[in-house]
Amino acid sequence: MPGDQFYYSIKEPVRARFTVSGSRFIATLAPAASVEEALDFVDTIKAEFHDATHNTYAYRIGAGSSLQERAHDNREPAGTAGQPMLQALQGANISDAVVVGTRYFGGVKLGLGGLTRAYRNCVRESLALATLVERVPRVRFRIDAAYAALGAVTRHIESLSGEIISVEYGESVVVTASLPERLAEEASGGLEELLRGHGSLQRLD
């Protein structure tokens, strides 16, 4: 992802169908906020198309240092199914998304090159139907601060396009916040200066 400044995700699930030399392909692309959500979606599609010859998949979750991605060929020749779909997601700068390539064999072998092109096309065809959502990679911080510093801490976070996730009140105030990853260093330095040794700062991602 160039500069990790932004990436795209999918607004809602989409499905594309096409045929190659008799083999029917069904491409299902959906948003996923976590690896668990992506794998749950894969299981749902496998159950829906339980009689398919193959249900291959690829997913990308997160961005930058927190990026998690995986490809699975589901008994297709190694590297001809999941990996081409993953590469297509990478090339389109798509993350927080999962794609399942379902194939019903049509009696004609496609060969390694044919399979690779067909599964890459699963992403291309489904992306053509999808509504993309632009996202900025973010990181979370946990700030333990004195009550007197709460206002300054909040203003600093908001000035950097940050979002307050939660505030817990006890002997001190514990703020959990999300900020753009590209501003993480600036945010960290500013927060440490505001705390002035009377509190703590922890990066959670």
Side-chain angles (χ1 to χ4, degrees):
M1 298 179 185
D4 283 336
Q5 296 299 306
F6 72 92
Y7 60 94
Y8 295 105
S9 188
I10 310 302
K11 184 177 181 180
E12 55 193 8
V14 294
R15 176 168 287 167
R17 301 172 186 263
F18 60 94
T19 302
V20 180
S21 299
S23 282
R24 291 189 295 122
F25 287 86
I26 303 168
T28 312
L29 177 68
S34 66
V35 171
E36 293 74 19
E37 188 175 325
L39 294 177
D40 285 346
F41 182 80
V42 172
D43 288 341
T44 298
I45 301 302
K46 284 183 176 180
E48 180 181 359
F49 299 112
H50 59 89
D51 59 339
T53 315
H54 305 279
N55 281 296
T56 70
Y57 67 86
Y59 64 72
R60 305 186 82 220
I61 306 295
S65 59
S66 65
L67 175 66
Q68 300 179 77
E69 54 186 9
R70 185 185 179 194
H72 193 275
D73 294 315
N74 190 225
R75 303 186 313 281
E76 289 282 31
T80 64
Q83 195 62 33
M85 292 195 296
L86 178 59
Q87 291 170 348
L89 291 176
Q90 293 168 339
N93 199 20
I94 301 292
S95 191
D96 292 345
V98 55
V99 60
V100 182
T102 300
R103 181 191 181 196
Y104 285 87
F105 181 56
V108 178
K109 292 186 177 181
L110 303 183
L112 300 182
L115 284 172
T116 299
R117 288 189 293 273
Y119 280 108
R120 186 178 293 119
N121 198 43
C122 282
V123 174
R124 291 175 176 170
E125 292 287 333
S126 54
L127 275 178
L129 302 174
T131 299
L132 301 185
V133 179
E134 185 174 317
R135 292 185 175 169
V136 175
R138 302 179 75 85
V139 295
R140 289 181 303 136
F141 286 95
R142 182 182 187 275
I143 306 112
D144 192 327
Y147 277 83
L150 178 59
V153 166
T154 301
R155 286 191 295 274
H156 182 66
I157 291 169
E158 292 175 345
S159 72
L160 296 174
S161 301
E163 176 185 335
I164 305 296
I165 298 172
S166 66
V167 180
E168 301 172 32
Y169 299 94
E171 292 185 7
S172 61
V173 185
V174 178
V175 178
T176 303
S178 168
L179 294 112
E181 187 174 48
R182 62 187 174 83
L183 299 176
E185 186 174 340
E186 180 180 350
S188 179
L191 289 169
E192 288 178 349
E193 183 176 338
L194 289 172
L195 295 174
R196 294 188 178 91
H198 298 289
S200 64
L201 175 67
Q202 179 185 6
R203 179 167 170 165
L204 301 177
D205 299 301

